[in-house]
Amino acid sequence: MRISANVSERAKEPPNIGVSVVILALGPSDLDDRADNLPAANTASGTAPDIHATASRTNTANTAEASNGIDHTASRTSNGDAVPTLRIPLVRRIRQPFLGDWALPGGDLQGGRSLEYAAEKALRSTTSLHPQYLEQLYTFGDPSRSHGGLPMVSIVYWALIGETEAKDFREAQNVRWFPVNQLPPLAFDHKDIIEYALTRVRNKIEYSDIATRLVGSEFTLSQLRNVYEAIYGRKLDAPNFRRRMLSTGMVEPTGEKLARGAHRPACLYRYVAHTGTGKSAKSTKPAKPGSRDIPTIPTQRTAQQ
């Protein structure tokens, strides 16, 4: 496609279309009881934790592990509660614009190739991740995303990956995991895109079995609660969570138990088949993000370029 030198002429050109990917993951320690067993931080008062504490009020409890693989450390709320945390792989840009900032993995569309292929290729080339499932999140194409007058459209995919898939990730100089509550400066409108993905997950977990992408098809209620805590970014009361999940009819016991060292074996559960199919498609998506001005996204280059 010929790119015009004049800004007004470029605005009339067909848009550049790219694909970006949001990958959310939990480490192994976020799926067991270790986060619950971390000693509480000293606090000035003995008041109960604020259940509405958001992810932005948390901070990491420990330093990251080795540079290979996902960071397994838990996070804490301002009240000292250990909370499992979602992580996301980002790629550092090595070209202008936004030189040195971090961005979502992304790439261009290719003739004769599907959108899913472009998303998978972007992940393979930057993070070596191979998610078993990718879902199209949203198409971002607001006119304010134009860079230098050239219209920009980004088709964004997202996925949740469990421990087995996350362990294949290897960090490099320009590729790294970040907790979603401690993101670095991000290029373009990628902060808005990540926030939109998180809102989508928080909505969808309430009526579907999407949590199994993180915890597996069979799980203890403690493991499932850790997933909910990571997604919502706050500590949940264990007895209330148990009562709520069992009362909804979304999960059922498998009849098996999981032995956990010296602890009493915990019952395993699974989601009831076809959970959430009665929900309307309208409830699966958060509000359209186009109401805010959206900056530029990368065009015809992967995020690390």
Side-chain angles (χ1 to χ4, degrees):
M1 179 180 69
R2 181 182 66 85
I3 303 298
S4 304
N6 184 278
V7 173
S8 61
E9 291 180 357
R10 286 200 296 270
K12 300 177 182 179
E13 297 279 358
N16 275 7
I17 302 176
V19 174
S20 297
V21 187
V22 178
I23 294 293
L24 300 172
L26 281 177
S29 61
D30 288 319
L31 294 178
D32 59 27
D33 293 327
R34 274 177 282 177
D36 289 336
N37 294 333
L38 286 173
N42 292 329
T43 55
S45 66
T47 57
D50 178 8
I51 64 172
H52 299 292
T54 62
S56 62
R57 295 173 58 190
T58 63
N59 52 76
T60 54
N62 300 293
T63 56
E65 288 191 356
S67 60
N68 286 340
I70 193 171
D71 174 5
H72 298 166
T73 57
S75 296
R76 292 189 185 277
T77 65
S78 59
N79 296 302
D81 297 310
V83 178
T85 306
L86 289 174
R87 273 81 173 178
I88 184 170
L90 298 174
V91 181
R92 191 195 298 272
R93 291 182 57 81
I94 59 175
R95 292 184 182 178
Q96 294 289 1
F98 298 101
L99 175 66
D101 284 351
W102 295 86
L104 294 168
D108 299 322
L109 300 181
Q110 297 180 6
R113 297 292 189 177
S114 67
L115 295 173
E116 290 80 5
Y117 175 86
E120 292 169 357
K121 181 180 178 181
L123 286 175
R124 287 196 307 269
S125 63
T126 56
T127 66
S128 299
L129 289 172
H130 302 270
Q132 298 179 5
Y133 174 81
L134 281 173
E135 178 183 346
Q136 191 172 136
L137 173 68
Y138 196 79
T139 298
F140 293 79
D142 191 90
S144 62
R145 307 180 87 246
S146 171
H147 179 59
L150 184 65
M152 305 289 180
V153 173
S154 184
I155 302 170
V156 180
Y157 279 76
W158 70 293
L160 302 177
I161 62 175
E163 173 187 352
T164 301
E165 293 171 294
K167 71 180 182 181
D168 294 331
F169 180 87
R170 292 295 178 266
E171 291 191 338
Q173 182 178 1
N174 294 318
V175 184
R176 189 178 304 169
W177 284 105
F178 288 93
V180 295
N181 56 2
Q182 289 189 326
L183 294 176
L186 295 173
F188 307 103
D189 62 345
H190 290 189
K191 184 175 186 294
D192 290 335
I193 292 175
I194 293 172
E195 290 177 351
Y196 185 77
L198 290 171
T199 302
R200 178 73 175 275
V201 173
R202 289 164 187 156
N203 287 344
K204 197 165 185 176
I205 197 174
E206 292 298 331
Y207 63 85
S208 74
D209 62 354
I210 194 173
T212 60
R213 308 259 174 219
L214 293 172
V215 75
S217 59
E218 296 184 356
F219 43 82
T220 66
L221 289 180
S222 177
Q223 290 172 333
L224 185 62
R225 176 168 52 86
N226 285 342
V227 171
Y228 271 73
E229 289 179 345
I231 289 175
Y232 282 110
R234 65 176 186 260
K235 194 74 174 174
L236 300 176
D237 181 75
N240 286 340
F241 178 81
R242 178 184 179 86
R243 285 192 294 269
R244 177 184 170 226
M245 292 306 301
L246 295 180
S247 67
T248 62
M250 293 177 64
V251 299
E252 62 183 6
T254 66
E256 303 292 332
K257 293 188 176 183
L258 176 67
R260 300 179 296 177
H263 298 280
R264 184 174 62 181
C267 294
L268 288 173
Y269 291 81
R270 63 185 169 223
Y271 274 86
V272 176
H274 308 301
T275 294
T277 54
K279 278 281 186 178
S280 65
K282 183 177 179 180
S283 64
T284 66
K285 295 182 180 181
K288 182 180 178 181
S291 58
R292 292 182 291 177
D293 289 339
I294 302 177
T296 313
I297 64 169
T299 61
Q300 296 196 353
R301 57 176 69 97
T302 55
Q304 77 270 28
Q305 293 180 327

